[in-house]
Amino acid sequence: MTKVLVPVKILEGESVTPGLFDLLSTVDVVVLGYYEVPDQTPAEQAKLQFEERAQAKLDELRRGFADAGGDAETRLAFTGEAEQTIARVTVEADCDAIVHPGVAHDADRLLVPFVGRADVGTVVDFVAALVGDRDITVSALGLDEAVSREEIRNALDAAGLDTADLTMQPESTGDAIAAIADLAVDYDLVVMGEPKPTLSEWVFGDLEDRVARESLGPVVVVRARD
């Protein structure tokens, strides 16, 4: 069964919107509510102070997934290293993808950009499991010069996504985030593969984080498997 991790800053107003509840109803969900403990504050002290309120919010999110027809387990963490905690839980729970929550009121249209040498087959298989037999429009966007139209189309067809639109814009590789952000406004969510690190990503931040900030909608990042 396909499984995704939804990390939520549980005490900072971050939540899950209706479109994301609906979209993830076909997969197993792990909701990680986390609170990044300030420096000089012991994690145990923060837990004693905030655990009850944080758990109540997590329970509310779990009910949201159940109401949408899905299934979710929850985990709660008080941590001084949020990124490491998210990475650890992703591996421990064997999640196939991580969701950057954003605002999505519907889940009717998905944009699937291929950039950063992501594994085409892994991403497409994940999208097929996510969509299932629902009437969701899938539009693929080829931005990687190393990935051909034929490779993407063959993967889409093999996964049963033969009605997906496919647009190639390899010339946008140098400004991939801008290309994704321009198109993402017409879609409910973005699903993309985990990019392999490049110098620019180290300098300017993780690619998927930047896409999430630019698009303002949820971004589902499919993990690269070794």
Side-chain angles (χ1 to χ4, degrees):
M1 184 71 176
T2 302
K3 185 184 290 185
V4 303
L5 179 72
V6 182
V8 177
K9 296 176 182 175
I10 199 68
L11 295 176
E12 299 176 41
E14 196 169 68
S15 190
V16 176
T17 49
L20 201 53
F21 283 131
D22 290 339
L23 180 71
L24 300 181
S25 64
T26 55
V27 298
D28 288 342
V29 175
V30 178
V31 183
L32 171 63
Y34 68 94
Y35 176 68
E36 194 156 16
V37 180
D39 292 341
Q40 312 302 324
T41 301
E44 282 303 314
Q45 179 181 329
K47 183 178 179 180
L48 286 172
Q49 187 174 359
F50 299 118
E51 183 177 23
E52 184 175 353
R53 182 156 63 97
Q55 188 60 54
K57 290 183 178 294
L58 265 181
D59 291 342
E60 183 178 323
L61 292 177
R62 184 172 56 201
R63 287 193 295 272
F65 282 105
D67 291 344
D71 185 27
E73 63 176 276
T74 60
R75 300 191 184 193
L76 182 60
F78 293 85
T79 175
E81 301 288 347
E83 288 189 14
Q84 286 87 339
T85 298
I86 292 169
R88 175 179 55 78
V89 174
T90 301
V91 173
E92 287 179 354
D94 195 25
C95 293
D96 300 290
I98 304 172
V99 178
H100 293 242
V103 178
H105 297 291
D106 299 299
D108 300 326
R109 298 164 300 173
L110 303 186
L111 177 65
V112 185
F114 292 93
V115 64
R117 290 171 286 163
D119 185 274
V120 173
T122 300
V123 174
V124 169
D125 287 345
F126 175 86
V127 172
L130 189 64
V131 171
D133 59 1
R134 296 180 291 179
D135 186 18
I136 295 177
T137 298
V138 176
S139 295
L141 176 63
L143 295 168
D144 193 332
E145 293 176 328
V147 179
S148 69
R149 171 184 289 274
E150 183 181 26
E151 182 179 355
I152 298 175
R153 174 50 67 191
N154 288 343
L156 292 169
D157 292 349
L161 296 170
D162 50 349
T163 61
D165 296 330
L166 172 56
T167 302
M168 300 297 291
Q169 294 184 8
E171 70 280 1
S172 303
T173 299
D175 197 4
I177 294 176
I180 296 169
D182 285 346
L183 288 172
V185 296
D186 294 324
Y187 292 86
D188 299 313
L189 305 104
V190 173
V191 182
M192 59 186 292
E194 181 180 7
K196 297 179 181 176
T198 66
L199 179 60
S200 63
E201 289 160 21
W202 285 111
V203 173
F204 298 111
D206 292 334
L207 181 58
E208 61 266 32
D209 288 335
R210 296 177 60 204
V211 171
R213 289 197 299 270
E214 294 285 344
S215 73
L216 299 179
V219 176
V220 182
V221 181
V222 183
R223 290 177 63 200
R225 300 281 192 173
D226 294 331

